[in-house]
Amino acid sequence: MLAVVANCCPGRLVQRGPWRIGLPGRAMQNAGMKRIFKWILLAGLALLLLLAAGVWGLQRWIGTDDFRARAEREASTMLGVAVTLGRIEVDVWPLPAVALAGVQIQTRPALTLERIEVRPAWGGLLQGRLELATVLVRRASLPQAGVDALLLALQKKKRATPVSRGPEAENTTSLQYIPRRTVLDHVTWVSARGASMTLDADARLNAQGLPDDVSVKILKGQLQGATARLQRQGNDWTVLMAVGGGTVKGTVQLQPAPRAGAEFSLKGQLETRAVEVAALTSAPQPVLSGRLDALTSLSARTASLGALAEVLQTQSKFTVRNAVLHGIDLAKAVKTVGLSRGGETALDTLAGQVNTQGRAVQLTNLVASSGVLSASGNRSEERRVGK
């Protein structure tokens, strides 16, 4: 009877009393799956061991003095300034990266970077292209004088290098070497006058090399505690800054170049509200204090991002509320023919207009009044970057 039931119901278990009867097909199938899983596990383990051995060998090779010296020569040739490297490492965790530690660019003064991590875009590597996904800079010191010296060395090298790909090559930028994300961790910038600023920053770019999302926080030094955020929506960017107890808000619009090498245009509007003037300076005893309100328009047309700072034009109308001039009492100074020193002067009115074009600054329509005293005038000057 049991045999008949088994033949009539193949692949099923039939129980009669204490016995259970089944066909061996299911057991054979399970055994086959176990063998396949076992081979997959062994293959994965072998691949991990092979990868670990490759990383270990790569670390040993990259960590040699010979490789480091070769990398120093290549970097020095590329920048036009001597470069020294403390060590070169290959990191696997949390993401694969090549790290340079103890970097010194021998400008005067030198640019020092405790650590630089470069992470490639693996999609590009699989297709045989080197593309940078992330560059991380930790604890760097970047004096403005050293930055200017490096830029000058790069300009000299560029002029000395013949262009063999046609006149359009000068305005062509290879986006594959521009990282999609740049992270600055405790990077210190020192102005030409010695004022320092330490900041954290995170900048993400799109496929065209334009900023998608940029955030900056000033940790110490000039503008300590200030934050800034730039976010992209199409061809527009929204700007939001918190500085000196006030805010700077607005939008910036970019019209892309119609073709490679042509000019693109930039324009925007910014509104400043209740920013403490004294917080914008690095002087321990500020000359002027008060709350700044301003409306600023900006515009530029250029074919190169590197030339943007030179062609950028701004027009600002400003008013300083509750302005106080520190270090001099104007009423006493007038009575004593300038012999009085110290004190302060509360200004009833302080307003004017500031226009800039590149490094040129022009102050017009300045009006300042305090009681029976008043002054007005215009001023123009050429400013230097980093001062």
Side-chain angles (χ1 to χ4, degrees), residues 68-81 83 157:
R68 179 173 54 81
R70 186 184 308 174
E72 288 177 344
R73 290 194 298 269
E74 292 293 333
S76 301
T77 301
M78 180 177 64
L79 298 179
V81 179
V83 177
K157 179 175 175 57

Side-chain angles (χ1 to χ4, degrees), residues 272-275 291-295 317-321:
T272 303
R273 285 289 176 262
V275 173
R291 292 291 177 173
L292 173 66
D293 294 335
L295 292 175
K317 293 183 178 180
F318 70 90
T319 301
V320 181
R321 295 183 285 108

Side-chain angles (χ1 to χ4, degrees), residues 118-143:
V118 180
R119 297 168 184 167
W122 293 105
L125 284 181
L126 293 177
Q127 298 177 10
R129 301 191 314 270
L130 176 60
E131 296 179 358
L132 301 182
T134 304
V135 171
L136 172 62
V137 179
R138 295 184 186 275
R139 299 191 178 278
S141 177
L142 308 177

Side-chain angles (χ1 to χ4, degrees), residues 125-283:
L125 284 181
L126 293 177
Q127 298 177 10
R129 301 191 314 270
L130 176 60
E131 296 179 358
L132 301 182
T134 304
V135 171
L136 172 62
V137 179
R138 295 184 186 275
R139 299 191 178 278
S141 177
L142 308 177
Q144 182 62 45
V147 174
D148 291 341
L150 178 60
L151 294 176
L152 181 60
L154 290 173
Q155 290 175 358
K156 290 182 178 178
K157 179 175 175 57
K158 183 178 180 180
R159 288 195 295 265
T161 303
V163 179
S164 59
R165 294 179 295 171
E168 71 282 357
E170 184 176 356
N171 293 323
T172 302
T173 302
S174 181
L175 295 178
Q176 70 184 88
Y177 299 117
I178 300 178
R180 296 293 180 87
R181 184 186 181 193
T182 300
V183 180
L184 305 181
D185 181 9
H186 280 72
V187 173
T188 300
W189 171 79
V190 183
S191 74
R193 294 182 178 178
S196 65
M197 178 189 300
T198 301
L199 57 86
D200 285 348
D202 191 337
R204 300 174 185 267
L205 308 183
N206 62 10
Q208 290 72 43
L210 298 175
D212 265 347
D213 193 344
V214 180
S215 60
V216 180
K217 182 178 182 180
I218 309 299
L219 302 179
K220 62 181 179 179
Q222 188 175 359
L223 303 180
Q224 181 175 345
T227 61
R229 186 74 180 270
L230 179 70
Q231 291 182 298
R232 176 175 176 264
Q233 296 178 346
N235 291 331
D236 297 346
W237 284 265
T238 58
V239 180
L240 175 60
M241 297 178 60
V243 57
T247 60
V248 180
K249 300 179 181 180
T251 59
V252 177
Q253 299 175 337
L254 173 68
Q255 293 296 329
R259 61 186 182 281
E263 291 186 339
F264 64 87
S265 63
L266 185 74
K267 62 180 180 179
Q269 297 284 337
L270 301 176
E271 181 181 15
T272 303
R273 285 289 176 262
V275 173
E276 174 55 54
V277 176
L280 303 179
T281 66
S282 59

